[in-house]
Amino acid sequence: MEISGIISAIVIGIVIGVLGRLVVPGRQHIGILLTILVGIVAALIGSALANAFGVADTKGIDWIEWLIQIGLAALGVAALDRSRAHR
């Protein structure tokens, strides 16, 4: 992976993490850095899942891939929030 690919993964991860956080109702008890980290991981796993399902390369915007990534980010944010709330 080239440096431009890493930078774009970070930027996309930030967007995915924020969107995933917005999907989860209520106030979350995790910081912005964890949100970004969840977004980056969700973007990478979501891209791999979209490739596996054959929906990663479509004409135009890859809406299905974005929805997979945002859903994974929402799950990650909710899981981290629940684990932090019990402490």
Side-chain angles (χ1 to χ4, degrees):
M1 183 176 260
E2 296 180 11
I3 190 73
S4 62
I6 294 171
I7 292 171
S8 64
I10 291 171
V11 171
I12 291 170
I14 291 169
V15 172
I16 295 294
V18 170
L19 289 173
R21 189 173 179 138
L22 288 174
V23 170
V24 177
R27 184 169 189 264
Q28 292 83 38
H29 298 79
I30 64 171
I32 191 69
L33 290 178
L34 278 176
T35 301
I36 291 170
L37 191 65
V38 166
I40 292 170
V41 170
L44 293 173
I45 293 172
S47 291
L49 285 174
N51 279 329
F53 292 133
V55 295
D57 274 337
T58 59
K59 294 180 182 176
I61 299 172
D62 297 325
W63 293 109
I64 297 173
E65 182 176 8
W66 274 81
L67 288 174
I68 293 170
Q69 292 170 336
I70 293 169
L72 288 173
L75 286 173
V77 167
L80 273 176
D81 182 46
R82 286 184 64 95
S83 70
R84 292 263 186 184
H86 293 304
R87 286 187 185 182

